[in-house]
């Protein structure tokens, strides 16, 4: 996991350059545009980390297409798509190795119903690849079971497809720079130290930051073996804190997508609620917003997320937290004395549960 995190900035840069030349990227962009112009659905799906990447890709494509309100491109879990497949539209599956049973079943059902299928995956030799009308291959194999590259790669693919749709130029070097924080692990280590003693964690965010919160909760659960769940920012304040104690940790993610409006006010309110309950809280927050959050509200630490004007919009909000959230999970694993690469499979019961 440590090695995969360190490799990601350079990986993202070369992946942007490689995918820009793939004919399948152009073909998928045209298929998405054609479907949305005709009012047909475009849906993205996956499971686990790939479902979080699907949420990210849906947000990126929605921004690129700019459909009327209410016609956004959606991310949908795979199993409902097996029961009710898309018959006139596009289903984009995300599966790191192309072998996820539910995702492949959704692709198969969509194809049988007459829909167009696509898959973002590592290579072309998987069962899922055979079910895709449009196949985007990243050729970047994640070496860790606690997938990090497996999350970043499809998001980069979504950024490239989105840029093809919108006609914008991608800056691969700027994306590398935005991600290049693996050499600065001190903030992640401090947050891990502040949260290592909790019994469970709540991770929260709004808009694109909710996608990051979901992925962070998964990484902490599987990598550090610490129970963690993700909630939309406002949802935290609507009943969930009734079960919180001083042994419940909180992490809030706030990129510049939060801005200075209502979401920023609610972020502040969530942290104030955590302080009232003596919950150790930390933030991963855009560096432009750090001054608006008083230090006493983040006793478990804070990480200032970088930003560059050369990477904008949804892409910036999704990319900026990726390495920090992965580093926090990796440092929590270290602090708790567990190996994030095994997903607990050294335990016979966990091995049986994972199949």
């Amino acid at each position: 996991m440590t090695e995969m995190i360190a490799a990601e900035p350079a990986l993202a840069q070369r992946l942007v350059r490689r995918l820009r030349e793939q004919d399948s990227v152009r073909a998928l962009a045209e298929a998405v545009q054609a479907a949305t112009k005709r009012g047909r659905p475009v849906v993205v799906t996956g499971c686990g980390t790939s479902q979080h990447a699907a949420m990210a890709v849906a947000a990126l494509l929605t921004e690129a297409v700019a459909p009327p309100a209410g016609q956004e491109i959606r991310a949908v879990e795979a199993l409902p798509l097996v029961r009710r497949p898309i018959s006139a539209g596009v289903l984009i599956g995300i599966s790191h190795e192309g072998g996820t049973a539910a995702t492949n079943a959704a692709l198969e059902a969509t194809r049988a119903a007459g829909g167009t299928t696509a898959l973002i995956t590592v290579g072309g030799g998987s069962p899922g690849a055979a079910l895709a009308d449009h196949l985007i291959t990243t050729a970047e194999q994640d070496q860790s079971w606690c997938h990090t590259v497996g999350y970043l790669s499809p998001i980069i693919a979504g950024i490239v497809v989105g840029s093809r749709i919108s006609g914008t130029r991608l800056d691969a070097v700027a994306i590398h720079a935005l991600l290049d924080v693996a050499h600065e692990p001190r903030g992640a280590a401090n947050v891990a130290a502040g949260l290592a003693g909790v019994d469970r964690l709540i991770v929260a965010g709004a808009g694109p930051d909710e996608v990051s919160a979901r992925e962070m909760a998964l990484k902490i659960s599987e990598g550090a073996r610490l129970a963690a769940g993700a909630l939309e920012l406002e949802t935290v304040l609507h009943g969930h804190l009734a079960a919180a104690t001083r042994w419940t940790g909180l992490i809030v993610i706030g990129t510049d997508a939060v801005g200075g409006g209502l979401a920023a006010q609610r972020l502040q309110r969530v942290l104030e609620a955590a302080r009232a309950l003596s919950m150790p809280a930390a933030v991963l927050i855009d560096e432009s917003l750090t001054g608006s959050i008083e230090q006493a509200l983040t006793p478990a630490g804070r990480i200032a997320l970088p930003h560059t004007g050369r990477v904008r919009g949804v892409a910036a909000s999704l990319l900026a937290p990726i390495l920090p959230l992965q580093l926090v999970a990796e440092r929590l694993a270290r602090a708790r004395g567990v190996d994030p690469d095994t997903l607990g499979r050294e335990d016979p019961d966990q091995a049986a549960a994972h199949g």
Side-chain angles (χ1 to χ4, degrees):
M1 184 181 184
T2 305
E3 293 166 350
M4 291 295 97
I5 293 171
E8 285 180 296
L11 177 151
Q13 182 175 343
R14 66 175 176 266
L15 190 52
V16 167
R17 291 172 172 166
R18 184 189 307 133
L19 290 177
R20 282 191 302 213
E21 307 303 320
Q22 272 195 27
D23 290 339
S24 56
V25 168
R26 173 189 51 77
L28 179 56
E30 291 174 354
V32 169
Q33 287 177 294
T36 53
K37 284 179 181 177
R38 295 186 178 100
R40 295 175 179 172
V42 177
V43 174
V44 195
T45 195
C47 298
T49 288
S50 292
Q51 173 62 11
H52 304 154
M55 295 171 67
V57 170
L60 289 161
L61 296 183
T62 295
E63 181 183 54
V65 173
Q71 298 180 30
E72 293 83 2
I73 293 169
R74 297 180 302 132
V76 177
E77 299 282 354
L79 289 178
L81 293 168
V82 178
R83 295 193 299 270
R84 297 190 63 187
I86 295 170
S87 58
V90 180
L91 175 64
I92 304 170
I94 296 176
S95 177
H96 185 58
E97 295 178 346
T100 304
T103 302
N104 289 347
L107 291 170
E108 187 172 21
T110 297
R111 175 175 275 187
T116 298
T117 59
L119 183 67
I120 301 172
T121 188
V122 167
S126 67
L131 297 168
D133 299 315
H134 305 292
L135 181 65
I136 295 178
T137 55
T138 66
E140 299 288 353
Q141 178 70 52
D142 203 325
Q143 301 299 316
S144 171
W145 276 341
C146 194
H147 282 163
T148 53
V149 168
Y151 177 65
L152 174 65
S153 295
I155 292 178
I156 295 294
I159 290 171
V160 176
V161 174
S163 72
R164 179 70 83 154
I165 292 170
S166 62
T168 55
R169 183 179 180 276
L170 279 181
D171 189 334
V173 174
I175 288 174
H176 183 293
L178 187 61
L179 292 167
D180 195 14
V181 298
H183 60 287
E184 300 174 358
R186 184 182 305 171
N190 289 341
V191 170
L195 296 172
V198 303
D199 292 333
R200 66 183 184 98
L201 267 173
I202 297 171
V203 191
D209 299 335
E210 184 185 358
V211 180
S212 301
R214 285 174 179 258
E215 177 62 9
M216 187 175 199
L218 176 59
K219 285 293 152 284
I220 290 171
S221 294
E222 65 184 1
R225 288 348 161 254
L226 173 62
L231 295 170
E232 193 275 335
L233 182 66
E234 180 64 20
T235 302
V236 175
L237 296 168
H238 291 263
H240 290 276
L241 293 181
T245 70
R246 63 192 180 96
W247 303 110
T248 306
L250 173 71
I251 301 175
V252 180
I253 300 175
T255 64
D256 61 0
V258 170
L262 181 60
Q265 296 173 24
R266 301 311 283 168
L267 187 155
Q268 177 91 9
R269 179 67 188 94
V270 167
L271 291 173
E272 290 170 351
R275 177 170 60 180
L277 293 168
S278 300
M279 295 169 62
V283 291
L284 278 60
I285 194 164
D286 186 88
E287 58 190 7
S288 66
L289 302 173
T290 55
S292 64
I293 303 295
E294 61 178 287
Q295 204 72 32
L297 291 176
T298 57
R302 58 177 65 192
I303 297 175
L305 301 175
H307 67 269
T308 168
R310 290 153 59 197
V311 183
R312 298 183 176 89
V314 174
S317 291
L318 290 168
L319 291 176
I322 288 180
L323 264 74
L325 73 84
Q326 293 172 352
L327 283 168
V328 169
E330 187 258 11
R331 293 289 157 156
L332 265 171
R334 293 189 189 206
R336 291 169 59 83
V338 298
D339 183 352
D341 288 328
T342 68
L343 304 191
R345 296 185 194 194
E346 63 272 22
D347 179 340
D349 292 340
Q350 285 287 343
H354 284 91

